[in-house]
Amino acid sequence: MSFFKNRGSLDLTAVSEQNRVNEPPPLSWEDPPEEPTEFSRLSENDTPKQEYSDLQDDNQEMNSEEEGVSWAKLKFTVDDEGSVTMVDGDLYPPSQASSVSEVRCCSDWRRTCSLGFRPWRTKYNSLPDDATLCQRIKYGTMCPPHGPLAVIFTWACLIFLLWAVLFSVLDDLALPGGHIFALYILVVASMAAGILVQKLFRLPPLLGMLIMGFILYNVPHIDVAKDISPSWSSVLRSMSLVIILLKAGLGIDTVALRKLGFVCLRLSFLPCLAEACTIAVVAYFILQFPWDWAFMLGFIVTALSPAVVVPSLLDLQDEGRGVAKGIPTLGVAACSLDNVLAISAFGLVMGISFSSGNIYFNIFRGPIEVVMGLAYGFLVGVLLWYFPAETENNVGGKRTILLLSGGIFAIFGSNAANFPGAGALGCITLAVVASYKWKNAKVKVQQVISLLWVIFEPILYGLIGAAIHIDYLNGSTVGLGLVVIFIGVVVRIIVTIFVTSFSGLTTKERVFLAIAWLPKATVQAALGPVALDTVVREGLTELELYAVQLLTIAVLSILATAPIGAALISVGGKKLLEKSSTEQMELEEMSRDAESCTPSASEG
């Protein structure tokens, strides 16, 4: 502080009242004013104590025990001649003053950083209305993170933290090579692929999920899906099927279904039987299959996939497409019955082929499964009308838990009892019957089920895609198998258009239903390996060629119909189905509620 000596006196008349302090305030880093006040240094003979006496507050004096006098503990500069440029600040005692070099260094560093980063801060850079692509990209990378970059960063953190939680709990299972790690990568990658397909190509996200599952199983070096246990995969697919069937059942319009009941039955059985018989005949003459194996192939390939058809129809229902005629409701209900028929018929033919069980029991297995599924769904659904009671707390949450439990028991219980066809029908019937009495109160249950579907959707489609093994695609069978599938699909389309005649539907709506009856995935992935497993287990090597060909064609049916069918449902629904306005949908819902109340009123 020696430069403060021998340099005149300090003029304090310009000091404002706000600069009177008792205690030193914290450092302030405000930008300097454009015209700072010039101060000169004090001489050695000046008496700082006397000069500061006018600024005393509450009789507290500012001492100058140390050499010289202190300056503002803020920003000031010293030129080569020793003049000090004082910047807006408060006066401190000498014992608490900061050195000029320290303050100057901090100030210069802050100013340099501020000027250096200013081009990358949104605060100082606004995006023009007519911004080019390069300008939008540059603006998207500015700080603080915002827009797509912030979303990507958030998801990256979430993905990493979820994996870290799994690793901290499950240890080696969450590392590469473990079941949990493989499943986690499959779900995350399938979800990302679904989002990309939806955003870039305007197609259903399940297409991207199916393709990603196929890639993660069949492409070398990234085939992590092979580490997933087959038993885990089967359980998770069944759980996902429970969620989508309950979601479909809650969305079914019972009034519209009553009006289209006979059409629903025709649509469920006739196209399925026609396609199965056609494929059996073609396989017998082209592939040289025995009749029993030809019909096994027919009933495997003909089964629709509720995992593909139902979500696509529900999306159209949410948009109001075809709601006035009950098209989504008709499709959802008929798809479930179609599965029951196909699965039951396959079990019957397979039982006859391998001579397992009583022949008469196998013949009547299909009708028995239908009765079991309907009876279970109706009884448990009626039970949920009264339990929990509406006077209890959190009725919606309890209803959701009971509904989920009933659906899970229907699917897994029917498989354990060797009546797999009854499970899907019982699950969807349970949701339909329960929601009939709940009416508008089912909205809370639907919200929870929809949230669960967001989680289970990539699980289901990713695992279905991973179930398509490229090793089974025998080159000599692929060409003939595609011919068989194509002929069967053409027959199904023709029969579907025919059976929906005289039903009050327009030509466009009938064509849409024929298109919606194409996708195949779930049943084919589940039943395709069954015959091969049975042949290997029984040691019937003479039948192994038929079993491998059957599995190959089942896989081809998934590859050929699931992506194309899902895309056609999404695009065709917007082109062929009329969209109801919001007011029309509200009026239709009110009329349905009124009609649903009529039976109970008459009973009273």
Side-chain angles (χ1 to χ4, degrees), residues 294-523:
F295 275 99
M296 270 196 288
L297 175 64
F299 284 113
I300 284 181
V301 174
T302 191
L304 296 177
S305 173
V308 179
V309 175
V310 172
S312 301
L313 293 177
L314 293 182
D315 290 340
L316 293 175
Q317 180 175 276
D318 293 338
E319 297 177 6
R321 301 281 179 181
V323 174
K325 296 288 187 66
I327 302 297
T329 293
L330 175 63
V332 168
C335 180
S336 177
L337 294 175
D338 177 281
N339 268 239
V340 171
L341 175 61
I343 294 173
S344 302
F346 171 78
L348 169 63
V349 176
M350 185 175 175
I352 295 173
S353 177
F354 290 99
S355 299
S356 60
N358 187 288
I359 184 65
Y360 300 104
F361 177 76
N362 289 329
I363 292 174
F364 291 101
R365 173 184 288 271
I368 291 173
E369 289 185 342
V370 171
V371 173
M372 289 176 61
L374 292 174
Y376 172 82
F378 181 79
L379 292 176
V380 179
V382 171
L383 188 66
L384 294 183
W385 289 358
Y386 306 102
F387 302 99
E390 296 183 357
T391 56
E392 296 185 25
N393 296 326
N394 194 17
V395 176
K398 294 176 181 178
R399 282 175 173 171
T400 304
I401 294 174
L402 290 173
L403 188 67
L404 281 171
S405 302
I408 293 172
F409 179 75
I411 295 294
F412 288 91
S414 63
N415 290 333
N418 294 322
F419 290 99
L425 184 60
C427 187
I428 196 170
T429 304
L430 165 63
V432 172
V433 174
S435 62
Y436 176 79
K437 188 72 172 181
W438 293 345
K439 296 185 177 63
N440 294 332
K442 69 180 180 182
V443 174
K444 293 183 179 179
V445 180
Q446 285 179 310
Q447 291 174 347
V448 177
I449 299 297
S450 298
L451 179 61
L452 290 175
W453 175 240
V454 172
I455 300 172
F456 278 93
E457 183 181 20
I459 295 177
L460 176 61
Y461 295 127
L463 290 175
I464 290 176
I468 304 172
H469 302 170
I470 201 171
D471 298 336
Y472 295 144
L473 298 179
N474 189 335
S476 62
T477 310
V478 169
L480 295 176
L482 290 175
V483 172
V484 172
I485 295 169
F486 177 76
I487 295 175
V489 165
V490 171
V491 171
R492 174 181 274 270
I493 290 175
I494 295 173
V495 174
T496 301
I497 295 176
F498 175 75
V499 300
T500 52
S501 302
F502 309 106
S503 59
L505 302 178
T506 64
T507 303
K508 290 185 177 180
E509 292 168 343
R510 291 160 57 198
V511 171
F512 170 77
L513 284 174
I515 293 174
W517 251 222
L518 295 183
K520 309 167 191 301
T522 313
V523 176

Side-chain angles (χ1 to χ4, degrees), residues 134-158:
C134 294
Q135 288 176 325
R136 291 197 299 270
I137 293 175
K138 180 181 178 181
Y139 186 79
T141 59
M142 290 183 180
C143 296
H146 61 284
L149 185 63
V151 174
I152 293 173
F153 181 77
T154 302
W155 276 103
C157 292
L158 179 61

Side-chain angles (χ1 to χ4, degrees), residues 218-239:
N218 296 283
V219 177
H221 307 298
I222 60 171
D223 50 354
V224 295
K226 289 184 177 180
D227 297 327
I228 301 176
S229 170
S231 59
W232 288 23
S233 177
S234 177
V235 170
L236 289 172
R237 285 202 305 266
S238 299
M239 285 292 298

Side-chain angles (χ1 to χ4, degrees), residues 532-604:
L532 180 59
D533 294 341
T534 305
V535 167
V536 173
R537 185 174 62 251
E538 299 292 336
L540 304 174
T541 55
E542 68 278 7
L543 299 177
E544 188 171 352
L545 177 61
Y546 299 136
V548 171
Q549 289 179 322
L550 186 147
L551 179 57
T552 301
I553 297 175
V555 171
L556 282 176
S557 68
I558 300 175
L559 293 175
T561 62
I564 296 175
L568 289 177
I569 292 174
S570 178
V571 176
K574 298 177 181 178
K575 300 291 184 181
L576 301 175
L577 298 181
E578 295 183 1
K579 183 177 181 179
S580 301
S581 62
T582 305
E583 293 78 7
Q584 289 175 337
M585 294 176 65
E586 291 178 354
L587 290 174
E588 290 167 4
E589 185 177 355
M590 292 174 62
S591 64
R592 287 194 297 267
D593 292 340
E595 291 183 28
S596 63
C597 292
T598 303
S600 60
S602 60
E603 290 173 4

Side-chain angles (χ1 to χ4, degrees), residues 44-300:
E44 187 176 10
N45 298 326
D46 288 333
T47 56
K49 183 176 180 180
Q50 181 66 31
E51 296 290 343
Y52 279 101
S53 60
D54 295 335
L55 301 178
Q56 296 175 2
D57 188 16
D58 295 333
N59 297 324
Q60 295 185 7
E61 296 184 354
M62 305 180 72
N63 299 321
S64 58
E65 298 175 355
E66 298 180 7
E67 180 182 8
V69 69
S70 70
W71 295 84
K73 196 177 180 182
L74 296 176
K75 301 184 187 127
F76 50 88
T77 60
V78 181
D79 59 18
D80 296 337
E81 297 179 356
S83 298
V84 179
T85 300
M86 189 74 175
V87 182
D88 186 24
D90 298 321
L91 298 178
Y92 298 161
S95 59
Q96 299 180 6
S98 300
S99 65
V100 174
S101 60
E102 178 183 354
V103 175
R104 181 176 181 181
C105 178
C106 294
S107 177
D108 292 344
W109 176 252
R110 175 186 174 276
R111 183 181 296 275
T112 301
C113 293
S114 177
L115 293 176
F117 286 100
R118 181 168 291 188
W120 299 99
R121 296 176 63 187
T122 56
K123 179 179 179 181
Y124 302 104
N125 299 273
S126 58
L127 185 66
D129 295 335
D130 56 345
T132 63
L133 177 62
C134 294
Q135 288 176 325
R136 291 197 299 270
I137 293 175
K138 180 181 178 181
Y139 186 79
T141 59
M142 290 183 180
C143 296
H146 61 284
L149 185 63
V151 174
I152 293 173
F153 181 77
T154 302
W155 276 103
C157 292
L158 179 61
I159 291 170
F160 174 77
L161 289 176
L162 285 176
W163 174 83
V165 170
L166 292 174
F167 173 70
S168 63
V169 175
L170 301 173
D171 200 10
D172 292 342
L173 290 177
L175 292 177
H179 300 311
I180 297 298
F181 178 82
L183 181 62
Y184 185 71
I185 294 298
L186 177 69
V187 172
V188 172
S190 298
M191 185 178 293
I195 294 174
L196 288 177
V197 167
Q198 186 179 32
K199 297 295 184 182
L200 297 180
F201 303 103
R202 305 294 182 183
L203 293 174
L206 64 91
L207 296 178
M209 297 174 186
L210 287 170
I211 295 172
M212 181 56 65
F214 177 80
I215 291 173
L216 291 179
Y217 189 92
N218 296 283
V219 177
H221 307 298
I222 60 171
D223 50 354
V224 295
K226 289 184 177 180
D227 297 327
I228 301 176
S229 170
S231 59
W232 288 23
S233 177
S234 177
V235 170
L236 289 172
R237 285 202 305 266
S238 299
M239 285 292 298
S240 303
L241 189 60
V242 170
I243 301 299
I244 190 57
L245 289 176
L246 292 178
K247 188 174 187 293
L250 292 172
I252 283 181
D253 183 354
T254 54
V255 176
L257 184 60
R258 246 188 348 250
K259 295 178 180 178
L260 298 171
F262 187 56
V263 178
C264 179
L265 293 177
R266 298 202 309 261
L267 190 61
S268 302
F269 296 114
L270 295 182
C272 177
L273 291 173
E275 184 181 12
C277 293
T278 302
I279 291 176
V281 172
V282 175
Y284 177 79
F285 288 103
I286 295 181
L287 298 175
Q288 304 300 316
F289 270 27
W291 280 113
D292 52 350
W293 282 87
F295 275 99
M296 270 196 288
L297 175 64
F299 284 113
I300 284 181

